Amino acid sequence: MALRILVAGGAGFIGSNLCERLLADGHEVVAADNFVTGRESNVAHLVQNSRFSILRLDIVSPVPELGQFDRIYNLASPASPPGYQRFPIQTLRVNSEGSRHLLELATRDGARYLYASTSETYGDPLEHPQVETYRGNVSSTGPRSMYDEAKRFGEALTMAFLNDRGTDARIVRIFNTYGPRSDPRDGRLVPNFVTQALRGEPLTVYSDGSQTRSLCFVSDLVSGLIAAMEVEDARGEVINLGNPEEHTVLEYAQLIIGLVGGSSTIVYGPPAVGDDPQRRRPDIRKARSLLEWA
């Protein structure tokens, strides 16, 4: 069945890949983005599709009349440390006021709503791997607080609408993701290393590179987002989406140098500042059982 779908943050890295997949599945897609960190080039190849439209829209303001939607994906937020640290107040507002506007729209339309949260809600975790019931180790005043706490508030708001207004909502916590249309300047591991290697520059590894990450390819993540939206039993659930295969940052650097085949070396810098998590790996047992996704 063809659905009418709103994707807030639709010109972002993950949002644009989601729009592409939803169109391929035969749906009508309205993408909304204020282009603070989203890029028009991410959706340029979609604009000729008659079932796609892109709106320059900041959901911090009340959403104008756009017709009725069946599904609303809320991916509207800066998501990389350089992005949310450059736009701290906007990040807090889009996950609070912006989320409220989309939840009100979903409630009015009877639409199903998915809130894209983050593994950053676990902070620098004291439990490993991270399961959805873990409450996290997060600083409310630290250098990542504008993102971590904004997402935690967005989760609380989503559950308040579900419990108080009966909104059909679900929450996913996205772990590290990479793939086409990553912003090469967004400061995250894979874009940083790939860009440096392609230029023949040294790859910068903070500290000794023993900190770990688990990387999920974007098309796999998009499949998880759609499954979380479409599975009836996911209503009211919080679900980790990510790859549980864990490697050190140094391993990723060495792998990328080998794949690019250049002459780049590895240079070691001081430890990253700003509550940088030392270990990150999702427990995806719920996604496997509830969504049949991995």
Side-chain angles (χ1 to χ4, degrees):
M1 180 181 68
L3 303 170
R4 189 163 190 266
I5 300 173
L6 175 64
V7 179
F13 159 48
I14 294 173
S16 62
N17 280 277
L18 175 62
C19 289
E20 186 175 71
R21 168 67 184 277
L22 293 171
L23 289 169
D25 289 347
H27 304 299
E28 179 186 348
V29 178
V30 177
D33 208 294
N34 66 357
F35 296 99
V36 167
T37 55
R39 298 184 293 167
E40 292 186 40
S41 60
N42 284 344
V43 292
H45 65 299
L46 302 178
V47 295
Q48 300 304 316
N49 191 317
S50 62
R51 289 181 283 105
F52 178 76
S53 57
I54 177 75
L55 303 176
R56 185 176 291 272
L57 180 66
D58 191 338
I59 61 166
V60 168
S61 301
V63 178
E65 178 55 50
L66 299 173
Q68 186 161 345
F69 293 101
D70 302 298
R71 303 285 188 270
I72 296 175
Y73 288 86
N74 183 4
L75 288 80
S77 177
S80 68
Y84 55 70
Q85 288 168 353
R86 192 164 69 248
F87 302 106
I89 295 173
Q90 293 95 323
T91 301
L92 285 158
R93 293 186 70 192
V94 75
N95 284 286
S96 53
E97 298 160 74
S99 293
R100 179 173 66 85
H101 289 142
L102 292 184
L103 281 159
E104 288 173 343
L105 180 62
T107 305
R108 183 202 73 183
D109 287 357
R112 189 172 291 174
Y113 174 89
L114 182 143
Y115 181 62
S117 188
T118 171
S119 60
E120 294 291 343
T121 61
Y122 300 120
D124 187 5
L126 303 178
E127 284 191 13
H128 192 81
Q130 293 80 59
V131 68
E132 290 89 349
T133 52
Y134 176 51
R135 296 182 180 182
N137 178 36
V138 181
S139 168
S140 63
T141 58
R144 292 175 181 247
S145 61
M146 73 290 289
Y147 184 61
D148 301 359
E149 296 290 38
K151 286 296 185 182
R152 288 161 71 93
F153 180 86
E155 289 190 10
L157 188 65
T158 299
M159 295 307 294
F161 266 79
L162 182 142
N163 292 319
D164 188 63
R165 308 273 182 90
T167 311
D168 184 352
R170 56 279 324 273
I171 296 165
V172 296
R173 292 179 180 151
I174 298 172
F175 283 68
N176 296 75
T177 304
Y178 74 101
R181 297 195 287 279
S182 293
D183 185 341
R185 298 158 299 180
D186 81 353
R188 284 182 274 198
L189 183 151
V190 173
N192 268 4
F193 285 170
V194 169
T195 301
Q196 289 172 330
L198 288 172
R199 291 173 175 165
E201 300 170 353
L203 274 61
T204 306
V205 171
Y206 297 108
S207 189
D208 62 358
S210 63
Q211 60 271 45
T212 68
R213 296 293 183 268
S214 306
L215 302 181
C216 182
F217 194 66
V218 67
S219 60
D220 292 321
L221 178 74
V222 164
S223 293
L225 292 173
I226 294 172
M229 177 68 92
E230 296 305 325
V231 169
E232 294 283 345
D233 291 344
R235 183 182 187 275
E237 294 287 348
V238 180
I239 306 166
N240 287 337
L241 292 180
N243 180 5
E245 185 178 323
E246 180 183 15
H247 296 280
T248 68
V249 170
L250 184 58
E251 285 181 275
Y252 289 122
Q254 293 167 336
L255 175 64
I256 288 170
I257 289 174
L259 289 170
V260 171
S263 57
S264 293
T265 58
I266 294 173
V267 296
Y268 296 90
V273 297
D275 298 336
D276 190 47
Q278 293 304 298
R279 301 189 73 186
R280 180 62 56 78
R281 183 174 123 221
D283 182 313
I284 63 165
R285 284 176 293 177
K286 183 186 281 190
R288 287 181 187 274
S289 62
L290 183 63
L291 310 181
E292 298 182 353
W293 176 89

